[in-house]
Amino acid sequence: MLQELTGKRVLITGGTSGVGLATARLFAQHGAKVAINGVRDPAQASCMLSELGAEAIYLQADLTKSEECQRCVAEFVAAFGGLDVLINNAGGLGERRGLEEIDDALFDRVMDLNARSALMVTKFAIPHLRQSAKASGTTAAVISTGSLAGREGGGIGAGVYAAAKAWLHDIHRNWVKEFTKDNIRFNIIAPGSIDTAFHQDKSPALLQQIAATIPMGRFGQVEEVAPSYLYLASHRMSGYVTGQVLDVNGGQLAP
Ligand code: NAD
C-alpha cells in the first residue's frame, strides 16, 4: 500500500471502462479519492462506484466539448475541495478510414476526443494542481494516456488517431516548460495493444495476427497498465520524473 496516495484527489477521464476503470480501482485500493468521468448515464455508472469506495464519484461529461471539460473540473473540485492528480485517459479511435476518405467531421471528432479534451481538462485543472503542489510542498501530476500509435504512426485507417496521440505526447513537453516552476509534473503512459473495448471492431483472426507481432505474444491486460499511473502519481517514486513517455507494450516497440 502506497500510504502517500491516501486521501489524494484523483480525476480520471474516460474512467468507466478499460484502462481508466482499472486505474481507478488501483488508486481507490491505495486510499485515493477518485472521480471517474464518462459519457454514460449516471445510473449505469453506479455499480462501478460501489467498488471504488464511499467517496468515489461519477462525473458525466462529454469532453469533446470545452464547456463540458470546464464543468467536469469544477464539479470535481466542488466535491473534493481540490485536485492533486489528473489522468487524461478519455480517448478512442473513432473510426478507421484511409486518407482519401477522411473529411472534416472525422478529423474534428477524433481530434476533439483525443487532443482537445486533454488540452481543455488540463487547462481548467492547472490552477487547482498549482494550489495542490503549493499546499503539499511536493508535486502535482498530470498523466495522459498516449499510445504506441503516437510513436509509430498507427494502423492503416487510424492515422488521425495516431497523430492526435503524437500531438498529446508533444504538447506535454511544452507544458513541462511552462509549469515546472509550479511543481506540476507531466508524463504520458503509451500503451501498446491492450485487451479492451478499443479493439472490439477486430476479428479474432486479426487479433491473433496482432498478438503474434508482440514479443510477449499476447495483448496486455488493463491491470498490467494501471500500476504505471500509480508510479507517475507518486511524488516519492517519481518526483524527479517529468516530460517522459512510458511505454507499456510487451516489447511491441522498443524505442
Ligand atoms: P475504452 O473504450 O474502454 O475506454 C475509453 C474511455 O473513454 C471510456 O471510458 C469512454 O467512456 C471514454 N470516452 C469516450 N468518449 C468520451 C467523451 N466524449 N467524453 C468523455 N469520455 C469519453 O478503451 P481503453 O483501451 O481503455 O482506452 C483508454 C485510453 O487508452 C484511450 O485514450 C485510448 O486511446 C488509449 N489506448 C488504448 C490502447 C488499447 O490497445 N486498448 C492502446 C493505446 C492507447
Side-chain angles (χ1 to χ4, degrees):
M1 170 108 170
L2 262 179
Q3 302 286 356
E4 181 198 346
L5 294 179
T6 302
K8 286 282 181 199
R9 299 157 297 186
V10 183
L11 170 57
I12 303 177
T13 72
T16 55
S17 60
V19 170
L21 183 57
T23 302
R25 282 195 193 105
L26 195 60
F27 274 87
Q29 283 161 18
H30 285 80
K33 296 176 183 173
V34 176
I36 52 172
N37 145 264
V39 284
R40 64 185 80 191
D41 192 81
Q44 291 175 286
S46 61
C47 58
M48 294 159 202
L49 288 183
S50 57
E51 57 172 320
L52 295 178
E55 289 193 276
I57 60 169
Y58 172 64
L59 297 171
Q60 183 185 22
D62 174 359
L63 301 183
T64 60
K65 300 178 173 63
S66 299
E67 63 275 17
E68 292 275 284
C69 297
Q70 184 169 23
R71 183 177 60 76
C72 183
V73 173
E75 287 183 8
F76 180 94
V77 172
F80 292 133
L83 172 60
D84 304 306
V85 177
L86 168 63
I87 298 180
N88 289 312
N89 174 71
L93 201 56
E95 196 184 321
R96 281 182 198 275
R97 273 201 224 167
L99 174 57
E100 291 165 290
E101 309 305 322
I102 290 170
D103 55 18
D104 287 350
L106 178 98
F107 180 86
D108 288 348
R109 186 147 40 93
V110 177
M111 291 302 288
D112 285 352
L113 177 56
N114 294 284
R116 186 198 300 275
S117 68
L119 173 87
M120 287 298 168
V121 174
T122 305
K123 166 186 160 160
F124 294 116
I126 286 289
H128 307 292
L129 294 165
R130 188 186 280 128
Q131 174 58 31
S132 157
K134 196 173 171 192
S136 69
T138 61
T139 54
V142 175
I143 308 160
S144 299
T145 306
S147 177
L148 170 91
R151 286 193 185 266
E152 56 77 72
I156 291 175
V160 180
Y161 167 77
K165 291 296 191 182
W167 182 98
L168 190 55
H169 292 199
D170 197 60
I171 204 160
H172 259 232
R173 298 186 184 102
N174 181 275
W175 295 341
V176 167
K177 292 177 190 164
E178 190 171 356
F179 297 110
T180 298
K181 66 173 179 4
D182 295 310
N183 293 316
I184 305 171
R185 295 180 296 113
F186 298 87
N187 290 291
I188 297 267
I189 305 286
S193 298
I194 310 301
D195 184 13
T196 70
F198 186 90
H199 297 284
Q200 67 192 3
D201 65 327
K202 300 187 177 83
S203 68
L206 180 56
L207 292 173
Q208 260 192 346
Q209 209 178 309
I210 295 169
T213 68
I214 303 171
M216 287 196 187
R218 62 176 178 84
F219 277 51
Q221 298 301 311
V222 289
E223 293 78 13
E224 296 175 300
V225 185
S228 296
Y229 293 89
L230 212 64
Y231 160 68
L232 289 170
S234 158
H235 176 81
R236 274 191 73 183
M237 290 201 287
S238 63
Y240 194 55
V241 179
T242 193
Q244 302 304 305
V245 178
L246 175 55
D247 294 284
V248 184
N249 60 31
Q252 207 168 358
L253 180 77

